[in-house]
Amino acid sequence: MAPAAYVVSVKALCAFGAKAGDLDLRFVPAPSALEGMAGHALVQGRRGGGYQSEVSLESRHGALRVRGRADGYEPGEPRVEEIKTFRGDFDAIRGNHRALHWAQARTYGWMLCEQHGHAQMTVALVYLDLATGEETVLEERHTWDALREYFESLCDRYAAWAQQEADHHGALDRALAQLAFPHASFRTGQRELAEAVYRAAAGGRCLMAQAPTGIGKTLATIFPLLKARAAGKLDKVFFLTAKTSGRPVALDALRVLGKGCAADGAQPRVLELAAREKVCEYPDRACNGDSCPLAKGFYDRLPAARIEAAQVRWLDRQALRQVALQHTVCSYFLAQEMAHWSDVIVGDYNYYFDGSAFLFGTMKDAGWRVAVLVDEAHNLLERARGMYTAQLEGGALEEAHRIAPAPVRGPLARLFREWDTVQQSQTDNYETADEIPERFVRALQAANTAMAEYFAAKPEAAQGPLQRFFFDALHFARLAEVFGDHSVFERTLGLGMGATQQDRTLAIRNLVPAAFLEGRFADAVSVTCFSGTLSPFAFYRDALGLPADTALLDVASPFHSQQLRVEVAMDVSTRFRDRAGSLGNVAGIIGAQFERMPGNYLAFFSSFEYLESARAAFSARHPGVPVWTQTRGMLEADRHGFIARFEEGGRGIGFAVLGGAFGEGIDLPGSRLVGAFVASLGLPQYNALNEITRERMQSRFGKGYEYTYLYPGLQKVVQAAGRVIRTEEDRGVLHLLDDRFARTEIRELLPRWWHVQVGRAGDARR
């Protein structure tokens, strides 16, 4: 028997128990939500006067309450309609989709029979072709008993699962209520952070927290949300990271917390979401039953895989793969199924913040109460800008046009002509505009329609250059529909040696992602953005679109000024015009520091060119000092090799680019790293795009220079400097190699616990 008042939607009930057959991802353009709503309204508007639309229904089976809304109901016949919209070939509608549609229609048929006492019911699937407006209608005639039996079989299947889930949640909440912090005491600042996270979740507010490295931020943010779940405030926790390397830290913290629940016989179900290309067992095969054995009969084997995965509970990438292979199902799509039944989900930012984010969409659809943790949240600004930026390449359009079939070639040719018109008067290589020409947008929409209809008719052709351009064009068109002063329209000619017309690009470049992210913050119970560098708070709150009432917390550092000697070199300028002349002083400071205190150091520079010049100047003066250098496009193995050079008790200098792979997220405690040199304020390059960004930031927030250049630059400096002191036992030195670091307005933005000393290169050599 399901627990009392266990409520499930018709959609969820049928998705759980009625899907069957193959997983089939052969591309068929799906109608948008707006197109689907319009299609429903069109069909409903064609019906007679007694026809009822959007009929709210509820039925019970045992303690299970099933709710839904029937698309259409004709009392006189009686007849129920389930309306679906599609494009292209009707016969291409997937078998597992048809099974789901019939299940929904039959369920509504029973609910109407029960409510109105009908002895029989006509159950109809109405498929509307959006391209032609034509309806394809499939009908069945069922008795009261047949529909009741079908409904009860679905409910029985789901009720058994619901009972299992209720038992799991009850035991888990009891265990979490008793869960103690896993260490004997909190570190300095850790309790303060944990309490702020709990208050934010309990009060339904967002929180921005700046907390230094070394206090255990991950544990201090997850622990209070598990306690909030036990208090009935939440259904799920999403832990989101900027990089893959951030996931193991969260998983390690969850393992520790899970052990604290084990004594009570309940542990949270933890799921790690990974990108499809990283977990696919057959990357050379298409995602359908005719090609991939893990897609063949996927939905037939899914129930058994789901049961085992729920029992395993710990579903990191390796564990999930093991379950999936035992049941011969795709681990990537098993993970998507288990997201419905997991308590904590660990994944990348894009799963929640992207325009078509899986976790966000599923949360909204299921009505979950979710608390979101955004790790290293200073990275979200640039990541979000990328999510809401779209680019079209001239070469990609040419290739798509070359291979396109006749019905598509014409619309693509017209798009090319409109593209030429957009850029015909352009003289500079790079230009921007505050509007996208309407004729170009119409031509793009027409081309997208033509490609959609072609792929709908011939799904087997949906691969290669034409499909890739279509996806880019769809993304561009969606952003064009919501284009505003948060973005800019870019036009690049691709001028320069060897450039051709194929090098042209058009782009919608997002500058201020707040407009897109506001809803993501609002729809969660609470979002906590935390980082070691998240100041000034107003900058990130404004640019990301956090609510005005977001709580703010700046946790005092457990470190003290005696641990880190911070020196500003007053006779070094890293301004572009001065860089060549500064190389001697930079090399001298690095060399003098190494002679004074041999050990491992990191030296950060603003670009690869500057890095190479500085390394050459240093090695010429100090040929006996070991050096290793970050290179462009460094492979993962080479990055690991770079970090491995920082051995305990080692000696040498790693040259790296500020804001790159080694500027954050690496942990080199003790003698693995004893100091750093930062030869840059980290200011973004002065160029046309950044100047436009500055103007937009100025008009929106009144701090154009600060929001575009100063704050993002110094954030990279502080992150890089943070590699030196990782624990309360560490000692080290930091050299800020630019006279501008001595300015009052700059020093006010540096960590409060730093004691900055101002000197000259000559002083350092003494």
Side-chain angles (χ1 to χ4, degrees), residues 656-678:
V657 170
L658 190 67
F662 308 112
E664 63 176 282
I666 61 170
D667 201 20
L668 302 170
S671 64
R672 292 187 66 188
L673 186 70
V674 299
F677 308 89
V678 181

Side-chain angles (χ1 to χ4, degrees), residues 60 84 124 132 287 290 338 345 374-375 404 408 431 488 545 576 733 736 741:
R60 294 189 71 130
K84 302 295 179 184
T132 64
C287 226
D290 295 333
M338 293 312 299
I345 300 174
V374 184
D375 185 28
V408 178
E431 291 183 359
V488 67
F576 185 78
V733 62
L736 301 175
F741 281 112

Side-chain angles (χ1 to χ4, degrees), residues 127-282:
Y127 289 96
L128 176 71
D129 187 337
L130 290 174
T132 64
E134 295 180 359
E135 299 176 22
T136 300
V137 181
L138 307 178
E139 289 187 346
E140 299 175 338
R141 188 73 174 171
H142 290 288
T143 64
W144 161 292
D145 288 333
L147 289 173
R148 178 180 56 80
E149 183 179 344
Y150 184 82
F151 174 76
E152 290 180 352
S153 68
L154 279 179
C155 288
D156 287 340
R157 240 172 294 169
Y158 191 86
W161 180 266
Q163 181 65 63
Q164 171 189 295
E165 289 301 288
D167 292 344
H168 164 69
H169 292 155
L172 177 61
D173 288 344
R174 289 190 295 272
L176 292 177
Q178 301 301 315
L179 178 66
F181 192 69
H183 302 306
S185 63
F186 287 89
R187 296 179 187 174
T188 303
Q190 201 173 29
R191 179 187 289 276
E192 184 183 7
L193 175 58
E195 289 176 348
V197 173
Y198 185 88
R199 285 195 302 270
R205 296 178 67 190
C206 291
L207 169 68
M208 297 176 67
Q210 179 170 265
T213 297
I215 72 164
K217 293 191 291 291
T218 303
L219 198 60
T221 53
I222 297 175
F223 173 70
L225 293 185
L226 294 181
K227 301 297 284 185
R229 187 222 152 82
K233 308 293 184 181
L234 305 172
D235 298 318
K236 295 180 187 291
V237 175
F238 297 163
F239 191 103
L240 307 178
T241 67
K243 301 173 184 177
T244 302
S245 58
R247 294 206 297 263
V249 179
L251 292 170
D252 287 345
L254 286 161
R255 281 191 182 94
V256 170
L257 290 166
K259 291 176 182 177
C261 299
D264 296 295
Q267 291 179 286
R269 285 199 201 118
V270 176
L271 171 68
E272 178 187 8
L273 292 178
R276 193 194 311 187
E277 60 269 17
K278 293 188 177 181
V279 298
C280 182
E281 300 289 339
Y282 299 98

Side-chain angles (χ1 to χ4, degrees), residues 535-536 706 710-711 714-715 718 743-752:
S535 65
E706 293 88 344
L710 185 58
Y711 298 159
L714 288 180
Q715 176 266 318
V718 175
R743 294 178 180 175
T744 302
E745 67 272 20
I746 302 295
R747 291 172 65 170
E748 287 177 348
L749 296 170
L750 301 178
R752 290 174 295 173

Side-chain angles (χ1 to χ4, degrees), residues 466-520:
L466 184 60
Q467 186 201 56
R468 288 194 293 273
F469 179 77
F470 178 47
F471 287 167
D472 290 342
L474 280 178
H475 185 40
F476 195 102
R478 292 189 189 107
L479 290 180
E481 291 177 357
V482 293
F483 185 79
D485 68 350
H486 47 68
S487 301
V488 67
F489 179 48
E490 292 183 339
R491 301 165 297 185
T492 305
L493 286 175
L495 300 175
M497 187 173 295
T500 68
Q501 286 288 84
Q502 289 188 340
D503 297 313
R504 295 187 303 167
T505 63
L506 298 177
I508 297 173
R509 179 79 52 192
N510 179 249
L511 308 177
V512 187
F516 298 103
L517 302 187
E518 286 170 347
R520 307 303 165 101

